Amino acid sequence: MTKHTQAFQAEVKQILHLVTHSLYSNKEIFLRELISNASDACDKLRFEALDNAALYEDQTALEVRVFFDAEAKTLTIRDNGIGMTAEEATAHLGTIAKSGTREFMARLEGDQKKDANLIGQFGVGFYSGFIVADRMTVETRRAGAPASQGVRWSSEGTGEFETETIERARRGTDVVLHLKAEEADEFLKTWRLKSVIAKYSDHISLPILMQKEEWDAEKSQQVQKDEWETVNKAAALWARNKSDITDSEYQDFYKQISYDSDAPLAYTHNRVEGRSEYTQLLYIPAKAPFDLWNRDKRGGVKLYVKRVFIMDDAEALMPVYLRFVKGVIDSADLPLNVSRELLQESRDVKAIREGSTKRVLSMLEALADSDNADDKAKYQKFWAEFGSVLKEGIGEDHANRERLAKLYRFASTHADEGVSLADYVARMKDGQEPIYVIAADSLATAKSSPQLEIFRKKGIEVLLLTDRVDEWLLSHLYEFEGKPLQSVAKGAVDLGKLQDEEEKKQAQAVAETFKPTLDRLTQALKARAKEVRTTTRLVDSPACLVVEEGDMSGHLARMLKQAGQSAPKVQPILEVNPEHALLKRLGNEAAEERFADLAHILFDQATLAEGGQLEDPAAYVARVTKLLSA
């Protein structure tokens, strides 16, 4: 037969270079693209055969076969789909960014489009074969055409292609890649091809077949048999009806995509229709991964487009504070060659992100608000593993602030865990206005803080915040249901209506009597304390440290220092309990040097009580030793 040599369109060299070197970041992606095209061809045959069953000829089982010839250094992807005529081969394989699918979709009218929703638009995917091949040959025949109208297309991807008419008994298409020398060994191994298919094409709805291999003892190597086996699951789990999927299947799929041996805590499976059409299958793991806090670790779910794998860890589809969520999002609208950069800019992606975020929060709310004890236990388990991460959302996701705040759980002076802000508000004292909180390095430090004494005496609940992220949380979570959050370690204590007039009068009288001692303390500690003042917050302790509203707390300053970051120098306020025996004794101390030593010891003890570190431990020890030796 006469061969016809034709040129690609004018921009072919530039675009081919883009496809083979820039568009795809991973060379193994070529197999995904070619299998997707093969699947697409089968989908088109299935659709056209609805009106013309004769197109199936003598074979109705649609499939894709992948096989190689190690000696010839060729890899073949074969489908028994719709195939191409000579004109179609020239048009669809000779023009970049034009696909038979696109033209096919243009012919559909009205309700037919709904029936063809599995048919994708693959654009330049065919040319990705040149990533690994220095020549590609396509042999094809359109379904329903006589065997004499087969077509062979071939090109080295350098700007020209050849076509010729051939005899071809089979309908469908063979894409033969003549592999480059450096690629030959890698893609001429069954295990390697299987691993790529499992990664990218496992959920193609058609069976992908490869030849079985068995060990030949004489040759001491694997040899291929004439028997074929299906190497993919041949069904996208998320594309099936929920009623047809068992809980065991959902759990097995989670383990496959997450590499987690434990079952997930919860999952949600939904098809969303509207301005953006997509399917989501999202899981909440039972345990946090070891690299949850690794800044270099990508988070996010797997992205598919029309059941074709696009990328792992599609961060743009899920906010950072939900980076622990695993699963799949399959879009019907995004292009197959979408990049991470394009994901950041897409309106469809924004809609998917918002919808998926709301779905995950709904899943968590269902566990947290359930009357079922097992569900509540699951939420407590979730909070223990991922609560610190979820707290990041209050500053990142303004639209869902209220929903997030309701999901947060804390320890308190009434319970060691599991206290929600709603629980706290429901237990507030009559006349209590703020939600009282304290942040500390540990639960033990928080519980023993002298700043809690008056609250404990009056039975007022205080939330104990001990996560490293809690100080940051307080800078974004100002109120809940109209109740302001107030740190008991900042500003002067004011119990408002919870303190009766008699108590106020008594405290004022004691403060006036104590003023001379207060003045001496202020003078002695002028280099260390911003202010020394009396307080009613202390019951059993002689003193405590607080900071002004708006100033950085000592707890936050310590965390920044531990992280190697600088923190502004903030002088604390020393609050003293004038009713304490130590302060009364201090007031009777006449010797100024001894008074100053006692004042510094008092300040250092208050620092230690809040979990702080002494700036000069040796000076503290010397003063205590001197006091004990007197």
Side-chain angles (χ1 to χ4, degrees), residues 31 34 38 64-66 75-79 173-175 177:
L31 191 56
L34 295 178
V64 178
R65 296 190 180 223
V66 178
L75 173 64
T76 302
I77 294 87
R78 171 180 293 167
D79 70 71
T173 302
D174 287 14
V175 178
L177 292 90

Side-chain angles (χ1 to χ4, degrees), residues 316-331:
L317 299 180
M318 198 69 68
V320 176
Y321 73 89
L322 294 180
R323 58 185 175 273
F324 53 83
V325 174
K326 302 294 183 184
V328 168
I329 291 177
D330 189 345
S331 170

Side-chain angles (χ1 to χ4, degrees), residues 579-606:
E579 299 277 31
H580 195 279
L582 182 58
L583 272 298
K584 290 180 178 179
R585 179 182 173 186
L586 193 61
N588 296 325
E589 182 59 58
E592 288 302 326
E593 182 180 352
R594 184 178 172 84
F595 181 92
D597 283 343
L598 289 169
H600 283 284
I601 290 173
L602 191 68
F603 187 94
D604 287 339
Q605 287 180 336

